[in-house]
Amino acid sequence: MTKAEVMSSLEEGWSRFLAIAKGVPEGKYHEYGSIGWWTVSQSLVHIASWDEELIEIMRTYMNTGEKHDFDLDHDINDRHIREKENMDLPMIWRHLDEAHMSLISYLNTLQEKDFQEDSYTGDLIETMIRQHYWEHEKDIEDFRNTL
């Protein structure tokens, strides 16, 4: 896919994710066990935190050629949740939006070659952004269907 196609696909996926997430009834965002052992609000924090992480991972790779060792991230999700546990829902939505806009802004600075599926960055964009949004969209939708 071209850069334009990937960016369009990301925005479509993001819009779907937001529509599903915003469809959760107000009192259900903090219900434990709704998304595995997480709440929906924790899932939103997780998405935002990984959008931020990916900027740094890609920036490091672009500047140094060093690939990120994801095996070292065994507790990163729990750390992200702990760091933001005091956020209320409006703050979470704001954080989610700001993190996504930062990611999109960063991706817009990349070259066409960085979006090729067989490149390190192209693989990150596919697996850690597009598929990540889709996986959590599905989790939240499955939870909504149980209500």
Side-chain angles (χ1 to χ4, degrees), residues 97-123:
D97 183 57
E98 289 169 359
H100 179 73
M101 294 309 297
S102 292
L103 178 62
I104 294 301
S105 178
Y106 176 73
L107 292 176
N108 277 318
T109 69
L110 300 180
Q111 298 176 19
E112 185 74 36
K113 68 178 179 60
D114 300 319
F115 288 82
Q116 294 176 355
E117 293 174 22
D118 61 347
S119 71
Y120 178 71
T121 51
D123 182 61

Side-chain angles (χ1 to χ4, degrees):
M1 290 180 16
T2 67
K3 177 179 178 177
E5 290 169 333
V6 170
M7 295 301 288
S8 176
S9 176
L10 285 175
E11 283 308 309
E12 289 170 14
W14 181 249
S15 294
R16 277 192 319 274
F17 172 77
L18 286 180
I20 296 294
K22 288 181 178 182
V24 173
E26 188 69 32
K28 298 292 185 177
Y29 281 95
H30 300 293
E31 189 172 303
Y32 280 95
S34 55
I35 310 294
W37 60 84
W38 286 348
T39 66
V40 173
S41 61
Q42 288 172 327
S43 183
L44 299 177
V45 165
H46 166 77
I47 289 287
S49 296
W50 270 104
D51 280 1
E52 293 171 327
E53 288 286 334
L54 283 167
I55 294 170
E56 292 309 311
I57 290 168
M58 286 191 276
R59 190 173 281 143
T60 297
Y61 176 75
M62 299 302 254
N63 291 334
T64 68
E66 180 182 336
K67 294 181 179 180
H68 184 76
D69 186 352
F70 287 94
D71 290 337
L72 300 176
D73 291 336
H74 60 278
D75 69 340
I76 196 166
N77 292 331
D78 292 334
R79 182 173 47 85
H80 287 156
I81 299 299
R82 278 192 314 273
E83 288 172 353
K84 310 232 178 12
E85 67 187 351
N86 293 325
M87 286 183 153
D88 62 13
L89 195 54
M91 288 174 66
I92 290 170
W93 283 115
R94 206 167 26 258
H95 176 59
L96 184 69
D97 183 57
E98 289 169 359
H100 179 73
M101 294 309 297
S102 292
L103 178 62
I104 294 301
S105 178
Y106 176 73
L107 292 176
N108 277 318
T109 69
L110 300 180
Q111 298 176 19
E112 185 74 36
K113 68 178 179 60
D114 300 319
F115 288 82
Q116 294 176 355
E117 293 174 22
D118 61 347
S119 71
Y120 178 71
T121 51
D123 182 61
L124 286 175
I125 293 165
E126 175 61 28
T127 59
M128 300 301 293
I129 303 172
R130 283 176 14 111
Q131 289 179 19
H132 198 221
Y133 291 168
W134 178 82
E135 289 166 0
H136 286 281
E137 170 192 326
K138 183 166 176 6
D139 289 340
I140 294 169
E141 185 173 40
D142 289 348
F143 170 65
R144 280 181 39 190
N145 290 335
T146 68
L147 301 176

